[in-house]
Amino acid sequence: MTSDRIPRHPRTAMCAALTAAVVAAPVAGAGPASAAATAPRPVCVSHQSGLAGKMSKDLAGALRGRSGTVAISLRDHTTHTRCTLRANQRFDSASVVKVTVLGTLLWDAQRHHRGLTKREKTLAKAMITKSDNASTSKLWKQLEPAGVKAFLRTAGMDATVPGKDGYWGLTRITANDQERLLDLITHANTVLTDASRTYVLTLMGKVIPEQRWGTPAGAPGGTKIHVKNGWLERSSHGWRVHSVGAFTGGGHDYTLTVLTQDDRTMRAGVATIEAVARAVHRDLNPTAHARTLYAPTDRPGEALPAVPED
């Protein structure tokens, strides 16, 4: 267990990213084919020799040929590995914000020295395990945007902006802020008590099968999988498809956030996330037997949050 905070701008990662940008810069007069060379690439740093380079390469390979815009934030406490890609770019949250709503509910209850009511527990369970939108709206209304903002400030999720007019699915999030939340859920801290953290992880571990897609794809056997996903389609940026996951137990202690937009279809977004996830799980668990790897549903489901007409 650790309570160290995810660095907002790790010096080593920033230096590597700048170096990569210089190397990838197009030569004057280069043709359109060189445009792909300027696209940002995943940047990894690690205490384990050789792992950062391998993960950077494998993540880039998982993204090759995919048309969506992807953000990644990974943190592995076992090997002290961090990987990022567009980790500070904002995306519409869709249903992954429901973990933030639950965090806010628990934090608010802690402040008032009370446990959750039976009603709140019922709503929270439906919100996380079934991605129930009506339950989320009721909790969002109860907490109010001011309450969500207060939790975000306390949690250090400085780049997250709650959706306006009750449209919680349009909360603006970043991969780094989602990783910060996952870190608070999985490691002791002063924001959420151990009881609150256990409550969140328990619900994220009981998500119904059709919603256990995304970041769990390829996770090794013996790993406790905690996940929350979401998707949303609008006229601008097409499909947004997101997945956040925490993987604990059996010597595993890592979290992964993959956010996407500009996906042509929902399934294209799911495929991108799962390609990234498989690369991550494979590189962090090189001895895992293929027969033990988690295979997500081929019929992914998720609740579409209400949004205003474009």
Side-chain angles (χ1 to χ4, degrees), residues 123-142:
L123 294 176
K125 181 178 180 180
M127 175 176 68
I128 300 298
T129 64
K130 298 180 180 179
S131 204
D132 184 71
N133 287 337
S135 297
T136 309
S137 294
K138 290 175 182 177
L139 289 173
W140 185 268
K141 183 177 181 180
Q142 172 184 318

Side-chain angles (χ1 to χ4, degrees), residues 65-217:
R66 300 184 185 276
S67 60
T69 301
V70 183
I72 299 170
S73 189
L74 162 77
R75 188 176 196 184
D76 177 31
H77 287 271
T78 304
T79 60
H80 300 284
T81 299
R82 290 281 281 123
C83 293
T84 59
L85 171 67
R86 299 188 184 93
N88 290 314
Q89 179 173 326
R90 286 193 176 105
F91 293 72
D92 292 331
S93 67
S95 287
V96 296
V97 76
K98 292 169 182 177
V99 182
T100 300
V101 176
L102 180 55
T104 303
L105 177 65
L106 292 164
W107 174 76
D108 185 69
Q110 289 171 193
R111 284 198 306 156
H112 292 90
H113 307 287
R114 69 173 183 84
L116 298 187
T117 65
K118 182 177 179 180
R119 169 185 172 274
E120 289 171 335
K121 289 180 179 178
T122 299
L123 294 176
K125 181 178 180 180
M127 175 176 68
I128 300 298
T129 64
K130 298 180 180 179
S131 204
D132 184 71
N133 287 337
S135 297
T136 309
S137 294
K138 290 175 182 177
L139 289 173
W140 185 268
K141 183 177 181 180
Q142 172 184 318
L143 296 166
E144 300 183 342
V148 177
K149 289 178 181 177
F151 170 72
L152 293 172
R153 285 193 301 271
T154 303
M157 298 168 66
D158 305 321
T160 301
V161 182
K164 297 179 179 179
D165 302 322
Y167 293 113
W168 43 262
L170 295 182
T171 296
R172 300 289 281 167
I173 62 173
T174 68
N176 269 345
D177 268 9
Q178 289 299 294
E179 279 296 289
R180 172 60 180 159
L181 179 59
L182 291 173
D183 196 51
L184 290 173
I185 293 169
T186 53
H187 295 84
N189 60 86
T190 59
V191 179
L192 295 174
T193 65
D194 288 350
S196 292
R197 296 189 305 104
T198 298
Y199 187 77
V200 178
L201 287 171
T202 297
L203 292 184
M204 290 178 69
K206 294 181 178 179
V207 168
I208 57 178
E210 57 265 37
Q211 294 179 7
R212 290 172 66 85
W213 50 269
T215 52

Side-chain angles (χ1 to χ4, degrees), residues 223-301:
T223 305
K224 293 180 180 178
I225 294 173
H226 319 275
V227 65
K228 186 69 195 81
N229 300 319
W231 58 43
L232 170 66
E233 182 186 23
R234 304 201 78 192
S235 60
S236 60
H237 296 296
W239 279 91
R240 295 95 160 124
V241 184
H242 311 317
S243 182
V244 299
F247 306 92
T248 62
H252 306 291
D253 183 8
Y254 56 98
T255 53
L256 174 63
T257 295
V258 187
L259 311 179
T260 78
Q261 64 182 22
D262 303 308
D263 296 306
R264 291 188 295 269
T265 65
M266 170 272 292
R267 287 190 175 273
V270 173
T272 294
I273 293 171
E274 294 186 348
V276 169
R278 289 189 175 96
V280 167
H281 294 305
R282 182 174 61 247
D283 286 351
L284 292 180
N285 307 279
T287 62
H289 198 285
R291 288 198 300 268
T292 71
L293 304 184
Y294 180 77
T297 176
D298 59 359
R299 296 177 179 272

